[in-house]
């Protein structure tokens, strides 16, 4: 009788004191950050913790990011997005609404069609692929998948695998496109002079937004509410968003660790047979979105890197960090990403349920 991988005797670095595991996680993150920054890759502060988290947890490590800390990090990223969105964003959306509508509809439709096809071909078990490829909030997709009998472990792996792959590929495209990072390492001021009233207001927004979202049980609300609140407050002249680099670095690390630490050794063992097909499905979805980006470049004159990031089917928070650290049209990127996130959160679960039910695989 085969042993359950969750109960094998192998523990790896899990035998080490938790404080040592955390020290290893932080040390690896710092080391990778130096290497990736030296190599000129943008968003090294996000990618490095991701890589370190994957290495530590697949080696048996047990560090975990508290939900409250992760929510606060999302709140900070929401404030960061609000800061980079111009006050004229609503006018831009109205003027380019066919472009944004096409981008949102295409990515959602492509993920649904690919999920249906992969499920019909029995390339992945049950309706797992339908929920796993849905470009909505990972937590919402996982909860819905469990309600309809899908393998939630595989759904979670597909969701976070897509985020990691999109972030890594987008970072590489950003680097090799010649656009490069927005700031050089020596130009970063880690501890600038802080406007304390503005900083206090920004922190309040980053904290209260996730708290309200949690009470209202809003998927991705931890980032959406500070973003919306920040845009409104800045537009009204009631708040100047103040985000020192050290706070952004901590927030990026928390998000990167949260994603990377999901890739436990037990989960990868559980998904070993399906992993190559998961990667293939994700690459096909990324390629489809890349084709949409090329269409935007040719028909609308959007610069290639902006189009690529805007259409990337990854996590909105990771794409926001990439956009903020690169020479791209960040407002365009984030408007497209946020529009898709909102639509997917509203329609994604129902669409995934419809596809799974109508294809006879739910």
């Amino acid at each position: 009788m085969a042993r359950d991988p969750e109960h094998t005797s192998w523990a790896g670095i899990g035998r080490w004191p938790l404080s040592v595991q955390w020290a290893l996680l932080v040390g690896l993150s710092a080391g990778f950050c130096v290497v990736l920054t030296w190599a000129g890759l943008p968003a090294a502060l996000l990618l490095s913790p991701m890589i370190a988290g994957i290495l530590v947890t697949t080696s048996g490590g047990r560090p975990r990011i508290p939900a409250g800390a992760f929510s606060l990090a999302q709140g900070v990223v929401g404030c960061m997005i609000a800061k980079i969105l111009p006050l004229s964003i609503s006018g831009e959306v109205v003027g380019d609404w066919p472009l944004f509508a096409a981008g949102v509809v295409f990515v959602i439709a492509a993920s649904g069609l690919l999920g249906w096809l992969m499920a019909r071909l029995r390339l992945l078990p049950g309706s797992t692929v339908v929920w796993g490829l849905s470009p909505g909030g990972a937590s919402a997709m996982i909860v819905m998948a469990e309600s309809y009998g899908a393998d939630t472990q595989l759904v979670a792996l597909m969701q976070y695998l897509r985020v990691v792959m999109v972030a890594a590929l987008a970072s590489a495209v950003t680097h090799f496109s010649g656009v490069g990072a927005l700031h050089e390492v020596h130009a970063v001021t880690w501890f600038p002079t802080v406007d304390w009233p503005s900083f206090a207001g920004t922190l309040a927004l980053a904290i209260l937004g996730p708290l309200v979202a949690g009470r209202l049980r809003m998927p991705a609300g931890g980032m959406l509410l500070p973003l919306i609140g920040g845009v409104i407050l800045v537009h009204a002249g009631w708040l100047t968003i103040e985000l020192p680099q050290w706070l952004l670095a901590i927030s990026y690390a928390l998000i990167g660790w949260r994603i990377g630490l999901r890739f436990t050794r037990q989960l990868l063992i559980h998904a070993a047979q399906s992993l190559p097909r998961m990667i293939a499905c994700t690459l096909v979805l990324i390629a489809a979105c890349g084709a949409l980006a090329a269409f935007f470049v040719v028909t609308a004159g959007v610069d290639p890197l902006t189009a690529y990031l805007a259409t990337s089917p990854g996590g909105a928070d990771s794409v926001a960090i990439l956009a903020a650290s690169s020479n791209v049209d960040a407002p365009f990127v984030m408007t497209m990403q946020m529009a898709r996130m909102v639509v997917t959160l509203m329609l994604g679960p129902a669409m995934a349920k419809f596809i799974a039910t109508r294809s006879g695989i739910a």
Side-chain angles (χ1 to χ4, degrees), residues 46-211:
L46 172 71
L47 295 176
S48 301
M50 273 188 195
I51 297 170
I54 292 172
L55 290 177
V56 168
T57 194
T58 54
S59 299
R62 295 176 288 104
R64 292 293 178 266
I65 304 301
F70 177 66
S71 295
L72 176 59
Q74 284 191 312
V76 170
V77 172
C79 291
M80 184 266 289
I81 298 172
K83 184 176 182 179
I84 65 177
L85 290 178
L87 299 181
S88 60
I89 191 66
S90 59
E92 294 180 16
V93 172
V94 172
D96 292 331
W97 72 264
L99 204 61
F100 290 108
V104 170
V105 171
F106 180 89
V107 176
I108 295 176
S111 64
L113 179 61
L114 180 60
W116 174 82
L117 180 62
M118 295 297 104
R120 290 292 293 176
L121 295 175
R122 299 291 192 258
L123 295 181
L124 284 168
S127 58
T128 295
V129 68
V130 176
W131 300 104
L133 282 176
S134 182
S139 58
M141 293 302 106
I142 293 167
V143 171
M144 290 292 293
E146 184 175 16
S147 300
Y148 289 92
D151 187 327
T152 55
Q153 287 186 298
L154 294 185
V155 171
L157 181 59
M158 287 192 71
Q159 286 284 337
Y160 289 107
L161 181 66
R162 189 180 73 244
V163 171
V164 170
M165 290 176 64
V166 167
L169 287 173
S171 182
V173 169
T174 302
H175 174 62
F176 292 110
S177 66
V179 176
L182 184 61
H183 301 293
E184 299 294 336
V185 179
H186 62 265
V188 174
T189 303
W190 290 99
F191 299 98
T193 302
V194 174
D195 181 341
W196 291 107
S198 297
F199 182 58
T202 304
L203 272 184
L205 180 62
I207 293 170
L208 290 175
L211 285 177

Side-chain angles (χ1 to χ4, degrees), residues 264-278:
T264 63
R265 184 173 183 269
Q266 291 76 19
L267 179 57
L268 294 180
I269 291 173
H270 177 68
Q273 291 184 337
S274 303
L275 193 57
R277 283 165 283 179
M278 289 183 182

